[in-house]
Each structure stands twice: as C-alpha cells, then as structure tokens.
Amino acid sequence: QQQVRQSPQSLTVWEGETAILNCSYENSAFDYFPWYQQFPGEGPALLISILSVSNKKEDGRFTIFFNKREKKLSLHIADSQPGDSATYFCAASESNSAGNKLTFGIGTRVLVRP
Amino acid sequence: GPKVLQIPSHQIIDMGQMVTLNCDPVSNHLYFYWYKQILGQQMEFLVNFYNGKVMEKSKLFKDQFSVERPDGSYFTLKIQPTALEDSAVYFCASSLGGEVFFGKGTRLTVV
C-alpha cells in the first residue's frame, strides 16, 4: 500500500508556465511534508516544506498548497525555467516522532521546454 | 549547504560477497539514515540510527544488513552476503532532527 501518492508521473511545460504537481497521503499522523528536488546523478535536495498547521507555504517561485481534510497537497512552480527540469518527490513524516523517518512518493519528472 | 558524502559512487560486486557502503554525514548531525531506490521506483526507508543504536528499521532491512558508526567515523551499511535484488542506489542521509540532508548515493550492482 502506497502511503504517499504522486501524480502525474511526468509533466512537460513550456518555459514561463506554472507546473502543478500533486501529492496525497494515507496516514493521518503525517504532519510534515517536504518536497525534494533531484537532478540526475545527484541526491535529493530539500526544496520547500510545510507543516500541517498551515495551508500554504511560499518560497520564491515555489508554493505548496495543503488541504488537511482531503489529505492532499500540491507544489506549484511558477514561471517555470529549463533549470527546473528535475524529478520532484513529495515526502511525509510525523514531526514529533524521533528520527524524522520520511515516506516518499514515486516522484514526478518535470521537463521545462524553452 | 551541508554535504553528506558517500563513497564509492558506484560499486559492482559478485553475488554472495560482502559489501560496505560508506557515508560521511554532516559533522554535527545526530540522526543517520539509509534509503534504497530501485530505478524508476520510489525511495524507500531502510533504517535510522541515533546515539549508536538502530532506532527503526523497515521490512527491507534484511538480516543480511547491518549499520554502524564506530567512534564518529563513517556511518556504514554492510550487506553480507549480497543478493541480486540488492542492486539499487543507496542514499545516506543525516539530520539534527529537522531537515534531512541526502548524499548523492552509491549505485550498487550485484552480478
């Protein structure tokens, strides 16, 4: 059973468009949701994160929208740039558990065409 | 930003042999993790480690797997003996308890 689901699996947008990446989760105990960006041959790097007490988090061109009732969140990448082409992982954990064990989704591969 | 270093980046090993994957975590971090990623699939938690002990391990952390960090040196994942299904990219990570930082991974190929 996948605890964290992501869609779509891949996404192509034109430069300047907004890319929307979706994530949903099963475990009601999850309350910390980081998004990681991974380039080929690299490890995942934290991009932006949100706690379940918030419904929106913005950092530059990246915004997370969070709906606790529906157990859904989305990452919006505004004014997409070719350098944003990467795989994006939604992850979840229980912030008050020792050790911050992350459960990952399968990832969304984003391609931004110039 | 803080770096987690993994050595080697790629290892090829014969089935049945022992392999040790090395990780140099961020220097002041307290929690250490190993994750496994098979090509095209999600990254899956293997184990986390704190204060010299395993805190939690998943079903993927088979009896053939072990971790240690002797005297604050490398945090290692040992697989003995290796099996074909152990072929994957293994990511080491560390944290102070908040943000988790990942290394670039070690691609393990068991032949």
Side-chain angles (χ1 to χ4, degrees):
Chain A
Q1 178 196 11
Q2 263 192 311
Q3 289 220 47
V4 176
R5 289 190 172 87
Q6 288 187 249
S7 65
Q9 283 198 304
S10 65
L11 177 64
T12 300
V13 297
W14 294 103
E15 184 175 356
E17 291 184 333
T18 296
I20 300 176
L21 289 65
N22 300 302
C23 180
S24 63
Y25 62 98
E26 303 279 333
N27 187 349
S28 301
F30 287 154
D31 61 356
Y32 171 66
F33 303 90
W35 284 84
Y36 281 83
Q37 180 189 56
Q38 185 179 26
F39 295 105
E42 300 286 321
L46 180 67
L47 185 65
I48 186 172
S49 64
I50 194 167
L51 289 169
S52 61
V53 293
S54 302
N55 56 23
K56 182 180 175 181
K57 176 83 172 285
E58 199 167 344
D59 184 357
R61 296 186 293 109
F62 301 92
T63 303
I64 300 174
F65 293 93
F66 180 75
N67 185 322
K68 187 173 182 175
R69 186 178 58 83
E70 294 187 8
K71 295 184 193 168
K72 290 182 178 177
L73 59 158
S74 60
L75 174 68
H76 291 223
I77 307 174
D79 188 25
S80 296
Q81 302 296 309
D84 297 331
S85 298
T87 299
Y88 293 81
F89 292 97
C90 174
S93 72
E94 299 174 46
S95 63
N96 62 358
S97 71
N100 201 9
K101 167 190 159 188
L102 293 170
T103 300
F104 282 86
I106 201 165
T108 294
R109 186 175 294 182
V110 174
L111 177 63
V112 181
R113 293 195 182 278
Chain B
K3 300 275 189 207
V4 175
L5 300 176
Q6 290 191 242
I7 305 161
S9 57
H10 193 176
Q11 178 122 23
I12 301 172
I13 194 139
D14 291 327
M15 184 176 64
Q17 297 297 304
M18 182 195 76
V19 69
T20 300
L21 308 184
N22 296 298
C23 172
D24 188 9
V26 180
S27 59
N28 61 337
H29 282 187
L30 302 174
Y31 297 90
F32 312 108
Y33 316 81
W34 285 102
Y35 286 79
K36 177 181 180 181
Q37 186 179 42
I38 295 174
L39 188 63
Q41 297 182 29
Q42 66 206 93
M43 190 137 42
E44 300 209 70
F45 170 83
L46 285 176
V47 66
N48 57 7
F49 189 87
Y50 170 76
N51 199 24
K53 290 180 253 194
V54 169
M55 294 175 59
E56 185 178 355
K57 53 188 180 182
S58 72
K59 285 183 287 191
L60 295 178
F61 194 81
K62 304 180 296 183
D63 291 343
Q64 297 90 324
F65 288 28
S66 62
V67 290
E68 63 175 356
R69 192 183 186 216
D71 299 324
S73 60
Y74 285 153
F75 176 52
T76 62
L77 173 66
K78 185 185 293 185
I79 309 174
Q80 181 177 28
T82 50
L84 293 176
E85 62 265 26
D86 296 331
S87 295
V89 180
Y90 290 84
F91 288 96
C92 175
S94 70
S95 79
L96 269 173
E99 181 180 346
V100 179
F101 293 84
F102 286 82
K104 292 187 177 186
T106 293
R107 181 178 297 278
L108 177 66
T109 303
V110 182
V111 297

